[in-house]
Structure formats: C-alpha cells, structure tokens
Amino acid sequence: MTTRSLISCLGLLACGLLSLAAHAQPAKPELRLGVVLAASGGASSIGLPERSAVALAEEKLGKADLPFTVKFVSYDDASDPTKSTNAVRRLVEEDKVHLVICCTTTPSSLAVLETLTTTRTPSITLAAAASSVEPADQRKYVFKASATDRMMIERLLDEVRHRKAKKVASIFADDSYGESGLNALKASAPGAGVELGPVERVARTDTNFTPQALRIRQSNPDVVYVHTYTPASYLMQEALRRVGYTGLVIQSQGSASAAFLSLGNAGLDGTLVIVAPVVVQSQLPANTPGRAALDEFVKTYEGKYGAGKADNYSAMGWDAAHVAVLAFKSVLEQKKTNLADLGATREALREAMESMKGQVSTSGLVGFSPTDHVGVDRKVALPMSEIRGGRFVLTTH
Amino acid sequence: MDTFLFLLTDGITSGAVYGLVALSLVIVHTVTRVANIAQGEYVMFGAMTLASFMEHAVPATLGLVLGGGLLCALFEAWDARRAPRRLLRIALTSAIAAAVLCGAVWLTLASQSHYVLSLACSLLLVSALGPVVYRLTVQPGLNSSAVVLVIISVGVQMVLHGLALILWGAQPRPVPPVSTAGFQAGAVFLSAQSLCILAVSALVMAGLFVFFEFTQVGKALRATAMNRRGAQLCGISVKRAGLASFALAACFSGASGMLVAPLVTANVDMGFLIGLKGFVGATFGGLATYPLSIAGVAIVGSLDSFAAYSLSAYRDAIVFALILPVLLLRNGPRHQRSDR
C-alpha cells in the first residue's frame, strides 16, 4: 500500500514538473490547416499528387524556423462531395482549424461552400472551375491560387485570334470539368469574335471516339479544342487523325502530363497544349515572375518523389499550403488579432488573404482583392506549349 | 452514306467488345444466378495484365491470383481438416496451379514478352481470377437470394477496382495493336484490330456453341443452368459448375479487354462502362439466352455510335434508356401468364 502511494506521489510530481516545463517555454502560436483532398475515388489521379505536395510542405514547414508552428489535419473525401462536406464540417467544428484547403474537384468545392460561408472559415480550393471562386462577393471565404478553366478558355481564344483562325470546334469531357469549361467557352467566344463549330462531349471511359471526330471533321473547323483528360484527350485526337482531320488541335491543361506524351509517341507533334509553368519549368525565361519559387518546388518535390514527378496538381497543392502560411504570417505581423479567438483569427486570415499582393508562387505572382479571388495572371500561369519530338516546348509570343 | 458506314463499322466493333462481356454475363447468370456487376472489371484486368507484359513487368494480377488462391486453399483445407487425403490433394493441386501460373509468367517474360504468348498468359491469369472470386465471394452465400448475390457482386466490383488502382495507379498505358495493318473498304478504313475483335467474338460464340452442345462439361453447365437441384441429383457438382462458369466468363471478358486495349489504352477505369453496356445488351436475352444477347449488343453498339454522332451529350443516356422498353417487353407477357 505504501509503495503504491509513493509511486502515485512520484507520478504526480513528475506530471507537475512536466507541465511546468511546458509552461516555461513561451508557446508559439499555432496555425491549424485543414486539408480535404480526393486521395481515392475517381479524381484520385489529381488528388494524390496534390496530397503528396501538401505532405511535403508539412514536412518542410516542420523543419523551418518560423515564429509559429503549423499543424495539418488531412482527410480523404474519396472524390465524393458528401464526404467532402462532412470532412470540412469536422475540420471546422472538431479540429478547430483556421483555414481549409479543399477540394480537389469542382462538385466538392461547391458542396462545401455553404459550410465555409456559415462558419466563416477561409479556404483555398484546388478545383479547376471558375465557379468555385467566382463571383467573389458570393464566395467571400474561398480563394484559389492557380488558374481557372475560364482563364484556360481565354488563353485558348488568345491563341485562336493570334492565329487569325475563325471557327473552333470543341470536345468537352462530360463531367464537371467539361461542363464548366463549355459554359466558359460559350460565354467568352462571341466577345472574342470566334465562331463556335460543333460542340461534342466524350467520357473518359468511352470505347469509340470516331462519331464525334467525324462530326467535327465534316464542319471544317480551323481549330479543334479538346477539353478533357488523358486518355480520352489523346484518343480523341487519334480519332480526328483517323477520319482525316489535319488541322490544328489545341489541348487543355488536362493533357499537360507525361502520360499524354507517352501515349502519343511522335504522332502528336504540332499539337498545342495549354500547360502549367511547372511543365515547362526549365524552358521559362530566368526573369519569369516566381521562377525561383518554381525551381525550388521542382527540386524539393522531385528530390523526394522522383525525377519528372512534379506536375500541375502537385504545384497547386504546394502553392495552397504556402499561400495559407503567408497569410498567417501577415496576421501575426499586424499583431491586431487575439489568436485565442478562433473566429477572429479566421476572419483575420480571410482579410490577410484578400489584401495579399505580389507573393511568389509556382505560377507567377499571387495577389488577391475583394473582387478577385483568383490570385494568378493567365499570361504567366498558363503558358502555351507545342509538342515537338515528344516533349512540351514553350512557344514564344 | 460514308458517315453511315463509318458509324456502323465502329458500332459493330464496340458491339463485339460488349458482346464478349454479355456472353460472360449470361454464362455466370444462368449457372450461378449472379447478375455480375463486377464483370467489367475482368475486362480491365485483361487489358492491364497485357499492358504489364508489354512493359516487361510481372503483372500484379499474378500476385492477386496467388494471394486469392492461397486464401481459397486455406478455406478448402479448413473444410477438409478431418480428411488428411483431401488435405493432401488440396495442397497438391494448389501447388501445381501456382507453379503453372508462375511458369507461364516466367516463360512469357523470358520470351521478351512475345505478343501472342503475352496474350495467352494474360488470358490464363485473368481466367484464374474468376474461380478465386467465385470461391471467396459467391460460394459462401450460395443459397442466398438473387438480390444478395447482386449486392455481393457490387462489393466485388469495388474491391477489384480499388485493388487495380493500388496495384497499377491511375495512369493510362498504351498497348500495341495485334497489327498496324488494315485495308480501305470504300471510304472506311478497317483496321486489323477491329477485324480481329470481330473474328475473336465470332470464334468465341461458335466455340461456346460447340462447347455447350458437344462436351460433357458444357452439358453439365447447361444442366445446372436449367435446373440446379435436378443437376445436383444427377451427380453434377454445382460448386464445380460455378467455378467453371466464372473461369469461362473471366476468360471471355479478359479477352475483350485485351482486344479493346489497343483502341482505348489500358486504364483502371475502363471496365465499368463496358460492363454496363454489355449488361444492357444481355438484358435483351433476359441474361439467359445467347443469340438474343448477341443481337442486343449489336443494337447497343450501333446505337452508341449513332447517338455519339448526332447527340454526343446524351449518348449514354440514350443507350441506357434502351433497357426500359426491353424490360417492359420482356416482363409484360410473363406477368399475364402468371395471372392466369
């Protein structure tokens, strides 16, 4: 009996000492970042590189000498909007995060919108659709530090006008990526003086691409724009060749991957592909804004995951984590916010995001405003490349 | 007219691909009562296995079959734990099966992935997957209702798809065609691959007819399909019939995957939609009659092609809407009969 009470006394003493030691060190403020990405399910090929990049950012930030600590809480939404909403609610209410990085897909990003708005939690989305962040007055708490599909369409129209082409036929994926891109094209084409030819839809899992290709060839377009992912984007182009279309094909960012090149071998030469800076990193002029940040990202990421692995998606994940950290830094520097107050910190973070200007990222300079929640410029964030000899070559103009 | 021919040839080609899946569905359904939602995944496994061989890699299917086979052997051994001779036989057959599979893979890789050898070996591996799935998922619930069996097959589909995603990743892989040759028939260019798909489908259908009409195993399968209890009383093992039907079905679906892979690349998502379209075709025959199912897939393939040409946004909706009138027509008269 006496031994046992002695042990418990000692235990209590040890606990007291430990807590004293913890109190003796001035506690650093903590930034809690929630992450909801599609690590499994249909969008996992996009979600996995995003998650790897966020994990790498976590590792780097853990080692960095910062005036605050960063805690990441990650959930997988399995590409399912319902699961994304549940995960975000859990992050906001139970994990008490300050900012959420969510989500990989457009449907998920739209589904979590209400939770974010009602709980006043700022977020950074990785989804392609402009509708996930625009209009900014209805998406007060959502930001995006990478190019949207609307910017991609504008980049396409820039190119079409530059080539003095008139008629554009197009093929869109029959999911949210395609739907959103198609709406953007329909909205922007008339203003750009571009005539829209047939608009066709394909699925990633289709087995026959000839019918759509036939219809497009019969309309004699100057340019064919393909807005879907591999392998459908490649198979569509192959079908166009088969039915005898020889004109220019422009591919969306969905094809800006090594997988696309490896499918086509040399048969894709002359195709234009809208890419991300990371895809043509080594070819970018040294004075490109953000080049140093891009180089550092590629070096770090490929150092960990292997050469040639850095892509558009991983770059987006990396940027999202860094933009969040930058915003928290500026909140701390202003010293106005009581960090113990969760709601006030979230609001301060949102304001810090909205007033962010000229910060470097892998796709050029990032800056937001109350009317613009897409941080990047399309001229820098969406370089145009041409496939030559089985690689993406930056085109200059 | 040229457009029509183009669409028709492509429609028939896809129809032939769906056709092999429809045949698999009919075999499985008649013998085991399983409306196999997971059938499309064997298509994907066929394509991915072939793609692995083309990359001179050991296909992950081998590990899957060996692992699953080991589980099956353990289950069997547990059932036979009091009969040492049966135990010995189980150990022996398992070892032989594993050795044959490993040997086939080794031989294929040793031949620098010779195309024909790769096809044969992939077919062998995928066919072996069928009985493994049957033993692990269908046999334990052999007397469950048809609905339970369908739900089990949905689970199997999810597991197989998930496993493939882990084993191969989401990246699509190119697969070379049987031959790059082809010939110009009027305005339409017919590739050797399309002709090959048609030829193999026709061959499989003819082979199946011969198998069911003239071989003992085929007759046993047919007997099981007609009346399970009766067949059992005649000494036909329902379990063996189930294993054989799953093996055959996996083989046909796998073949369809290997044939279609050069046209659409091998990727882990390819199976489900092909499986569903095969399903729509097979409903024409009520998942029970072969000739009607073949007619069904020909209609599905052509409709697919023409719908994609004229209204590409709704092509899948149009194809799947086809199932409604078919179900109504098939079920209408039978209801009347049962009322009387």
Side-chain angles (χ1 to χ4, degrees):
Chain A
M1 192 64 195
T2 39
T3 1
R4 194 184 281 177
S5 51
L6 192 69
I7 287 173
S8 49
C9 274
L10 274 175
L12 272 175
L13 198 68
C15 284
L17 278 174
L18 273 176
S19 59
L20 249 177
H23 274 290
Q25 231 176 31
K28 277 184 181 179
E30 182 183 60
L31 166 65
R32 288 186 295 276
L33 285 180
V35 183
V36 181
L37 296 171
S40 57
S44 59
S45 57
I46 300 171
L48 283 173
E50 289 170 353
R51 198 176 65 161
S52 311
V54 172
L56 184 64
E58 181 178 4
E59 191 187 314
K60 283 269 149 190
L61 289 167
K63 285 185 202 147
D65 184 29
L66 292 168
F68 54 92
T69 58
V70 189
K71 183 182 166 197
F72 285 77
V73 188
S74 287
Y75 295 119
D76 171 17
D77 67 11
S79 317
D80 176 354
T82 317
K83 287 195 185 138
S84 320
T85 318
N86 292 341
V88 167
R89 190 161 289 140
R90 188 162 163 202
L91 285 170
V92 169
E93 282 163 11
E94 287 174 32
D95 301 312
K96 311 230 176 296
V97 298
H98 297 114
L99 185 143
V100 181
I101 295 174
C102 169
C103 308
T104 303
T105 67
T106 303
S108 286
S109 297
L110 293 176
V112 302
L113 198 61
E114 200 191 319
T115 312
L116 294 171
T117 314
T118 50
T119 60
R120 298 169 176 271
T121 312
S123 82
I124 300 171
T125 176
L126 305 179
S131 60
S132 53
V133 277
E134 287 170 355
D137 58 332
Q138 289 167 31
R139 311 271 192 274
K140 249 181 103 179
Y141 291 88
V142 187
F143 297 85
K144 179 165 163 58
S146 46
T148 63
D149 54 0
R150 201 158 59 81
M151 295 165 95
M152 201 146 54
I153 295 294
E154 279 160 11
R155 195 71 189 79
L156 162 79
L157 295 174
D158 290 347
E159 188 67 32
V160 171
R161 269 177 302 193
H162 174 80
R163 291 179 179 260
K164 301 200 168 48
K166 286 272 171 303
K167 189 168 175 183
V168 179
S170 51
I171 298 127
F172 288 87
D174 66 354
D175 56 11
S176 64
Y177 177 66
E179 193 63 39
S180 173
L182 175 56
N183 289 337
L185 181 64
K186 277 185 179 157
S188 310
V194 169
E195 182 196 345
L196 279 188
V199 173
E200 299 295 320
R201 307 300 294 267
V202 292
R204 216 153 44 108
T205 48
D206 275 354
T207 48
N208 185 3
F209 296 83
T210 316
Q212 290 96 324
L214 261 179
R215 186 149 196 112
I216 281 175
R217 200 210 57 192
Q218 286 164 356
S219 74
N220 277 324
D222 302 319
V223 174
V224 175
Y225 175 60
V226 184
H227 189 97
T228 175
Y229 335 82
T230 49
S233 57
Y234 160 71
L235 296 169
M236 198 61 229
Q237 194 165 339
E238 191 55 32
L240 283 166
R241 200 176 58 80
R242 184 171 164 238
V243 299
Y245 175 76
T246 50
L248 180 67
V249 177
I250 302 183
Q251 292 270 359
S252 81
Q253 219 178 26
S255 300
S257 64
F260 182 70
L261 293 180
S262 73
L263 288 177
N265 294 321
L268 294 168
D269 276 15
T271 306
L272 294 186
V273 185
I274 301 171
V275 293
V278 65
V279 177
V280 286
Q281 174 241 354
S282 58
Q283 303 167 38
L284 288 170
N287 61 359
T288 310
R291 173 73 201 264
L294 181 59
D295 289 353
E296 194 213 324
F297 163 67
V298 173
K299 206 176 120 217
T300 322
Y301 192 84
E302 300 198 336
K304 173 147 187 176
Y305 296 105
K309 289 284 180 199
D311 60 5
N312 175 26
Y313 308 122
S314 49
M316 280 199 297
W318 178 262
D319 283 338
H322 281 89
V323 165
V325 167
L326 285 172
F328 193 65
K329 248 184 204 159
S330 96
V331 170
L332 283 184
E333 277 161 13
Q334 286 172 355
K335 290 187 180 150
K336 284 190 295 198
T337 318
N338 173 16
L339 294 173
D341 183 345
L342 188 61
T345 313
R346 285 177 180 161
E347 195 56 44
L349 264 177
R350 196 199 77 81
E351 275 158 23
M353 292 280 295
E354 210 160 63
S355 52
M356 191 180 283
K357 287 278 169 295
Q359 299 288 355
V360 289
S361 80
T362 67
S363 18
L365 300 181
V366 174
F368 301 96
S369 77
T371 52
D372 176 22
H373 280 195
V374 183
V376 294
D377 172 42
R378 77 166 186 267
K379 287 264 152 46
V380 186
L382 293 172
M384 185 65 86
S385 76
E386 186 182 330
I387 298 180
R388 277 185 223 143
R391 54 191 289 266
F392 296 110
V393 178
L394 188 68
T395 56
T396 44
H397 61 255
Chain B
M1 195 58 203
D2 289 354
T3 310
F4 179 81
L5 281 177
F6 237 122
L7 293 175
L8 194 68
T9 47
D10 276 29
I12 298 287
T13 309
S14 331
V17 171
Y18 306 147
L20 287 171
V21 181
L23 288 183
S24 320
L25 283 164
V26 174
I27 297 175
V28 165
H29 183 251
T30 49
V31 178
T32 66
R33 296 182 301 134
V34 180
N36 199 358
I37 304 290
Q39 201 60 50
E41 300 309 312
Y42 298 99
V43 176
M44 176 266 290
F45 270 99
M48 295 308 282
T49 310
L50 183 61
S52 285
F53 275 128
M54 292 296 114
E55 288 165 7
H56 303 287
V58 176
T61 327
L62 180 67
L64 210 60
V65 171
L66 290 182
L70 185 67
L71 265 180
C72 293
L74 289 177
F75 276 122
E76 287 291 309
W78 179 253
D79 286 347
R81 62 191 177 281
R82 293 191 211 295
R85 293 195 64 161
R86 257 181 79 199
L87 274 178
L88 196 69
R89 210 174 64 198
I90 290 165
L92 210 64
T93 40
S94 311
I96 291 173
V100 167
L101 289 173
C102 292
V105 171
W106 179 81
L107 200 71
T108 311
L109 289 174
S111 73
Q112 295 294 315
S113 296
H114 185 271
Y115 197 80
V116 177
L117 220 52
S118 302
L119 282 175
C121 188
S122 308
L123 212 53
L124 184 69
L125 284 172
V126 180
S127 308
L129 198 59
V132 169
V133 169
Y134 177 83
R135 177 63 188 84
L136 294 179
T137 66
V138 182
Q139 202 181 308
L142 207 53
N143 295 316
S144 322
S145 70
V147 179
V148 173
L149 293 175
V150 170
I151 293 170
I152 289 175
S153 81
V154 172
V156 171
Q157 190 270 327
M158 286 173 174
V159 171
L160 287 180
H161 183 257
L163 280 173
L165 194 62
I166 294 170
L167 294 170
W168 281 293
Q171 201 191 27
R173 287 140 202 264
V175 174
V178 175
S179 153
T180 47
F183 69 91
Q184 200 77 29
V188 182
F189 179 78
L190 280 172
S191 68
Q193 188 70 30
S194 304
L195 292 175
C196 198
I197 291 176
L198 290 171
V200 169
S201 302
L203 218 64
V204 165
M205 287 163 205
L208 212 55
F209 176 75
V210 173
F211 174 73
F212 279 134
E213 288 295 321
F214 301 108
T215 69
Q216 188 143 22
V217 184
K219 283 177 183 166
L221 280 185
R222 253 175 69 207
T224 320
M226 281 172 195
N227 188 334
R228 288 156 51 81
R229 177 68 60 82
Q232 214 161 6
L233 291 174
C234 294
I236 295 170
S237 160
V238 172
K239 182 183 145 192
R240 280 211 193 140
L243 288 172
S245 71
F246 262 70
L248 270 180
C251 176
F252 295 158
S253 298
S256 125
M258 283 169 225
L259 288 169
V260 79
L263 299 181
V264 299
T265 75
N267 63 81
V268 292
D269 294 320
M270 67 190 289
F272 193 59
L273 202 65
I274 297 181
L276 276 190
K277 289 191 176 157
F279 210 100
V280 175
T283 47
F284 276 77
L287 283 183
T289 32
Y290 295 94
L292 279 180
S293 304
I294 302 302
V297 290
I299 293 173
V300 168
S302 325
L303 190 68
D304 204 17
S305 192
F306 285 101
Y309 176 75
S310 39
L311 261 176
S312 65
Y314 297 101
R315 69 203 183 292
D316 282 347
I318 291 172
V319 170
F320 291 124
L322 197 61
I323 206 167
L324 295 176
V326 173
L327 286 179
L328 284 175
L329 277 176
R330 285 199 64 87
N331 287 330
R334 207 175 304 157
H335 268 298
Q336 280 173 358
R337 222 177 302 148
S338 62
D339 287 345
R340 252 186 282 152

